[in-house]
Amino acid sequence: MKSQVIRIRNLPATRSVLQRYQLKPTLLLVSMIIIGMLLVAARPYLLLGGIMMTMLGAFCLFVMPDGILCEFTREYLILYNRRRSDDCMLIYWDEIVSWKYEKHSNADELIITLVDGSTQKQECYSKRICIYMRIYVPEKEARVRARKL
């Protein structure tokens, strides 16, 4: 089996990353800062809300930590959210048996089952990751059954 946990420094330097998912929604935070500044300039009664929105967006963008969750290439998927920060999981597309996206209250999970029977779990914060999973392994998506309450 070619899929394995490797050091980040051992990743191929010539890999072409098609899509990268990060922890911070940078575009959303920049939009929040711009809207906050527009509110400050628009009307006096929107001043406090605009200042708060700008400060919150700036705090999240510049102070809170950021990191890469996963990268998609033509040959494989790289999962970065490991126990050791200098490790990553390299998963080749042809070694995926099934995958599914599960919603949970605190963080969603992408669950990937490999040909050797092992299961890899990746925390996700957006269902957009399913778009690329459906492009590369569309026939292997396992449907999540609705739970009865």
Side-chain angles (χ1 to χ4, degrees), residues 33-75:
I33 293 169
I34 291 171
I35 291 170
M37 285 192 270
L38 290 174
L39 289 175
V40 167
R43 302 271 186 249
Y45 58 87
L46 297 175
L47 181 70
L48 184 61
I51 290 173
M52 295 300 288
M53 185 179 279
T54 303
M55 287 175 46
L56 180 64
F59 175 78
C60 292
L61 188 62
F62 298 116
V63 176
M64 295 184 72
D66 192 14
I68 301 171
L69 285 177
C70 63
E71 292 179 338
F72 291 87
T73 68
R74 295 191 197 289
E75 298 86 28

Side-chain angles (χ1 to χ4, degrees), residues 60-126:
C60 292
L61 188 62
F62 298 116
V63 176
M64 295 184 72
D66 192 14
I68 301 171
L69 285 177
C70 63
E71 292 179 338
F72 291 87
T73 68
R74 295 191 197 289
E75 298 86 28
Y76 47 81
L77 168 68
I78 305 168
L79 301 177
Y80 285 99
N81 202 10
R82 310 290 304 168
R83 286 190 178 159
R84 292 181 47 178
S85 61
D86 58 343
D87 286 347
C88 65
M89 180 69 185
L90 189 74
I91 300 174
Y92 285 86
W93 298 118
D94 58 346
E95 295 183 353
I96 295 176
V97 174
S98 67
W99 66 272
K100 63 183 172 180
Y101 185 86
E102 289 185 353
K103 289 187 172 200
H104 299 287
S105 59
N106 55 350
D108 299 344
E109 281 185 333
L110 176 67
I111 301 171
I112 301 171
T113 306
L114 302 174
V115 291
D116 66 346
S118 65
T119 302
Q120 298 297 320
K121 293 182 179 181
Q122 176 72 31
E123 285 185 355
C124 299
Y125 302 99
S126 172

